[in-house]
Amino acid sequence: MNPSIDFTVEETPHAERINDKGEYVFGIYASNHCDEKLERTLVTMAKLWDIEDLDSDVNLTIEVRLRSLYESLIDLRADSEGVADGDSKHLFDALMTDCQWIIDQINELKFR
């Protein structure tokens, strides 16, 4: 059995958009000009992947809390008094629609 090298990065979303279906889509941003944990992890993984006879699986897990989506959107789009620019309303509306969908799905579950 091959040993496994695992990287787990706790990250917050850094980008958002609305897809063609009107759904909120968040993104994780990485750059070679940053020195955060994700970027350092990617550099390390790239070096490991370049080893020709590496006998290990190299895995990356990015952990993002669902609440972080909202927190990130508020931090980026609203002031300290909780007032957001009107141009951002469509992002909040899409996120709210997705959150309602999640709530509806949970409410339809049956538990034993």
Side-chain angles (χ1 to χ4, degrees), residues 12-26:
T12 57
H14 295 287
E16 71 280 326
R17 67 179 181 84
I18 306 301
N19 68 12
D20 295 338
K21 297 178 184 179
E23 300 163 329
Y24 182 87
V25 179
F26 73 94

Side-chain angles (χ1 to χ4, degrees), residues 44-62:
T44 302
M45 289 178 69
K47 290 176 184 174
L48 289 170
W49 286 333
D50 281 342
I51 301 172
E52 289 186 24
D53 59 350
L54 182 66
D55 200 24
S56 300
D57 293 329
V58 180
N59 305 295
L60 171 63
T61 301
I62 299 174

Side-chain angles (χ1 to χ4, degrees), residues 5 18 22 33 36 39 63 77 79 98 101:
I5 301 170
I18 306 301
H33 298 290
E36 301 297 324
E39 287 79 6
E63 295 181 348
R77 305 291 178 152
D79 63 21
D98 286 351
W101 180 88

Side-chain angles (χ1 to χ4, degrees), residues 2-3 8-9 26 34 39-40 42 44 49-50 63-64 66-67 69 73 81 84 86 88 94 97-99 103 110 112:
N2 294 343
T8 301
V9 178
F26 73 94
C34 298
E39 287 79 6
R40 290 191 317 266
L42 293 175
T44 302
W49 286 333
D50 281 342
E63 295 181 348
V64 178
L66 186 56
R67 181 176 291 191
L69 301 176
L73 191 57
E81 296 174 8
S88 301
T97 299
D98 286 351
C99 290
I103 291 167
K110 294 169 183 60
R112 297 180 202 173

Side-chain angles (χ1 to χ4, degrees), residues 98-111:
D98 286 351
C99 290
Q100 186 60 55
W101 180 88
I102 292 168
I103 291 167
D104 292 345
Q105 297 304 305
I106 292 170
N107 286 337
E108 290 179 16
L109 289 175
K110 294 169 183 60
F111 296 92

